[in-house]
């Protein structure tokens, strides 16, 4: 049995997660899988398998033959992209999850990580310090798929004892890989534009507060949750997780500490409505109590790390 399979490994989270897991378990023990034809360069230090999570037969055969202690299922369409292709987003975000849950149910996988999102909340959810258990009426196809996924994860745990663990990630901010079509992507784009052009046109309005987290914290949280003793975990849908909450205006002011001439303008598009339906900040006291979660990066540290490390040759726009 191999240790770990990461599906959707070539994306924003997968790239950093695979590299961290390889440091922990050994390069050859962590298989990176993605629908991309060839292995992304950053992941070439270990095994790569081309895999379409929608090809249930191929995925099942491979996982049954190999056997995995842990599978991280990251392949999905994110909020903004999903609104442009709702049917496909629903299919991608749900079918892959069933394939992996069923393989765990039959014993070919011991432990699953499946990410949820702050998108499970909606306009009727309390917006400040959103509790772990609260009203959840998501209005995006992405949020609906994540909420349904959470329900199924909890169902497979309760009915079949499947050890599935999940985090409702906030918007993730990283410099090693680019974001893949979310509403929180502005908080990455802004650093590239600030460093390259000293100006940025933001697709959200200046006072739109959203929960965010530096990728290093998110990867550590993921691994800490997967390492936590099962008996400590009281949530088998998905844990609220919090680190930062800021508006575009506050982020711009933070960047101006390092780049005083940086200018931001605002030109909200369809993503504004998505952002307006999500919480401004998250109460993650259950994660803190159950498995000791605590963030390390505040807004200033995160911003400093981003400006120091981003490679402006990878500019998004
Ligand atoms: P991403 O879009 O950057 O990466 C997704 C990866 O999945 C890509 O490499 C893509 O090629 C791959 N993929 C797409 N279709 C596939 C298929 N059919 N089979 C196999 N691989 C396929 O996404 P991400 O930001 O890394 O997010 C990963 C997960 O975390 C998603 O479930 C997302 O909903 C969740 N999440 C992300 C954030 C965030 O801010 N990045 C926040 C909350 C939740
Ligand atoms: N960052 C993600 C998005 O904006 C939240 O799940 O879609």
């Amino acid at each position: 049995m191999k240790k770990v399979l990461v599906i959707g490994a070539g994306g924003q989270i997968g790239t950093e997660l695979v590299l961290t897991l390889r440091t922990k378990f050994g390069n050859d023990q962590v298989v990176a899988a993605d629908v991309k034809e060839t292995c992304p360069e950053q992941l070439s230090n270990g095994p790569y398998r081309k895999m379409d999570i929608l090809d249930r037969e191929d995925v099942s055969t491979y996982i049954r033959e190999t056997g995995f202690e842990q599978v991280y299922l990251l392949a999905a369409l994110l909020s903004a992209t999903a609104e442009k292709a709702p049917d496909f987003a629903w299919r991608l975000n749900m079918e892959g999850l069933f394939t992996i849950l069923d393989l765990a149910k039959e014993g070919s996988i011991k432990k699953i990580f499946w990410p949820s999102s702050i998108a499970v909340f909606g306009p009727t959810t309390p917006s400040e310090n959103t509790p772990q258990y609260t009203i959840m009426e998501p209005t995006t196809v992405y949020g609906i798929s994540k909420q349904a996924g959470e329900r199924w994860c909890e169902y497979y745990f309760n009915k079949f004892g499947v050890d599935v663990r999940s985090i409702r990630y906030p918007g993730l901010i990283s410099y090693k890989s680019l974001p893949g079509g979310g509403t929180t992507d502005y908080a990455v784009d802004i650093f590239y534009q600030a460093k390259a052009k000293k100006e940025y046109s933001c697709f959200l309005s200046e006072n739109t507060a959203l929960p965010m987290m530096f990728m290093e914290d998110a990867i550590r949280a993921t691994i800490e949750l997967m390492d936590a003793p099962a008996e400590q975990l009281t949530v088998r849908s998905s844990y609220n997780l919090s680190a930062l909450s800021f508006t575009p205006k506050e982020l711009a002011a933070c960047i101006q500490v390092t780049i005083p001439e940086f200018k931001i303008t605002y030109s909200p598009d369809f993503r504004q409505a998505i952002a307006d339906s999500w919480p401004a900040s998250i109460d993650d006291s259950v994660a803190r109590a159950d498995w000791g979660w605590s963030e390390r990066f505040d807004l200033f540290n995160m911003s400093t790390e981003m400006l120091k490390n981003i490679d402006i040759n990878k500019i998004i726009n």
Side-chain angles (χ1 to χ4, degrees):
M1 199 179 234
K2 279 242 187 229
K3 279 243 185 269
V4 182
L5 174 65
V6 180
I7 304 170
Q12 190 195 12
I13 299 174
T15 305
E16 297 206 32
L17 181 64
V18 166
L19 295 175
T20 308
L21 289 168
R22 283 182 177 162
T23 303
K24 182 176 162 75
F25 292 117
N27 290 0
D28 62 327
Q29 290 299 312
V30 180
V31 180
D34 201 288
V35 75
K36 291 171 182 164
E37 200 62 49
T38 53
C39 177
E41 200 189 320
Q42 281 166 289
L43 303 181
S44 60
N45 65 346
Y48 179 77
R49 189 181 192 281
K50 181 185 181 281
M51 178 184 289
D52 180 354
I53 191 61
L54 292 176
D55 186 344
R56 188 176 170 114
E57 204 179 314
D58 175 61
V59 174
S60 302
T61 305
Y62 174 69
I63 289 179
R64 281 189 192 119
E65 280 173 358
T66 315
F68 284 96
E69 286 178 20
Q70 302 184 1
V71 171
Y72 296 75
L73 175 56
L74 305 179
L77 282 199
L78 276 78
S79 59
T81 318
E83 287 307 300
K84 294 177 182 161
D87 295 354
F88 179 70
W90 176 255
R91 198 173 151 233
L92 177 63
N93 294 6
M94 298 309 300
E95 277 183 25
L97 177 59
F98 280 117
T99 299
I100 297 305
L101 287 171
D102 285 335
L103 285 161
K105 180 182 159 192
E106 71 178 37
S108 301
I109 300 166
K110 284 195 185 158
K111 210 186 273 185
I112 299 170
F113 179 82
W114 174 82
S116 184
S117 161
I118 53 166
V120 292
F121 301 116
T124 53
T125 303
S127 167
E128 297 290 341
N129 289 321
T130 301
Q132 176 70 44
Y133 301 105
T134 187
I135 301 165
M136 295 166 82
E137 296 183 316
T139 50
T140 61
V141 64
Y142 176 68
I144 296 167
S145 73
K146 289 295 184 187
Q147 192 195 29
E150 286 191 9
R151 297 289 87 225
W152 280 111
C153 287
E154 191 184 83
Y155 184 88
Y156 269 68
F157 172 74
N158 286 333
K159 282 270 175 184
F160 311 120
V162 167
D163 190 353
V164 53
R165 302 171 182 210
S166 178
I167 287 171
R168 290 171 182 154
Y169 288 132
L172 300 182
I173 301 168
S174 61
Y175 60 84
K176 291 185 188 161
S177 51
L178 298 174
T183 302
T184 57
D185 291 11
Y186 93 82
V188 179
D189 300 359
I190 192 172
F191 287 101
Y192 286 91
Q193 302 294 344
K195 207 166 162 180
K197 299 184 187 161
K198 319 279 183 256
E199 60 183 43
Y200 179 63
S201 172
C202 184
F203 58 74
L204 297 183
S205 64
E206 60 184 332
N207 293 320
T208 307
L210 286 171
M212 302 276 186
M213 183 177 287
F214 190 48
M215 188 62 86
E216 197 174 307
D217 270 341
I219 299 298
R220 186 172 51 79
T222 305
I223 291 172
E224 285 176 3
L225 174 60
M226 288 297 270
D227 283 348
E231 59 277 12
Q232 279 177 219
L233 305 181
T234 61
V235 176
R236 291 297 185 151
S237 51
S238 192
Y239 278 99
N240 275 9
L241 202 71
S242 166
L244 316 168
S245 171
F246 55 77
T247 64
K249 190 176 172 185
E250 288 164 344
L251 181 56
C254 194
I255 291 170
Q256 281 159 350
V257 173
T258 309
I259 307 176
E261 63 275 36
F262 173 62
K263 287 198 169 40
I264 185 166
T265 54
Y266 301 94
S267 182
D269 64 15
F270 74 101
R271 290 168 282 194
Q272 183 66 47
I274 300 177
D276 287 342
S277 77
W278 290 353
S281 61
I282 297 286
D283 175 351
D284 62 356
S285 47
V286 181
R288 287 172 194 268
D290 282 8
W291 44 281
W293 159 248
S294 175
E295 77 281 5
R296 289 187 189 150
F297 285 86
D298 61 17
L299 176 56
F300 183 75
N301 294 340
M302 177 277 290
S303 176
T304 307
E305 281 297 298
M306 287 296 288
L307 289 172
K308 194 170 76 186
N309 290 300
I310 53 167
D311 171 5
I312 55 170
N313 296 317
K314 284 194 211 154
I315 282 184
I316 300 161
N317 295 322

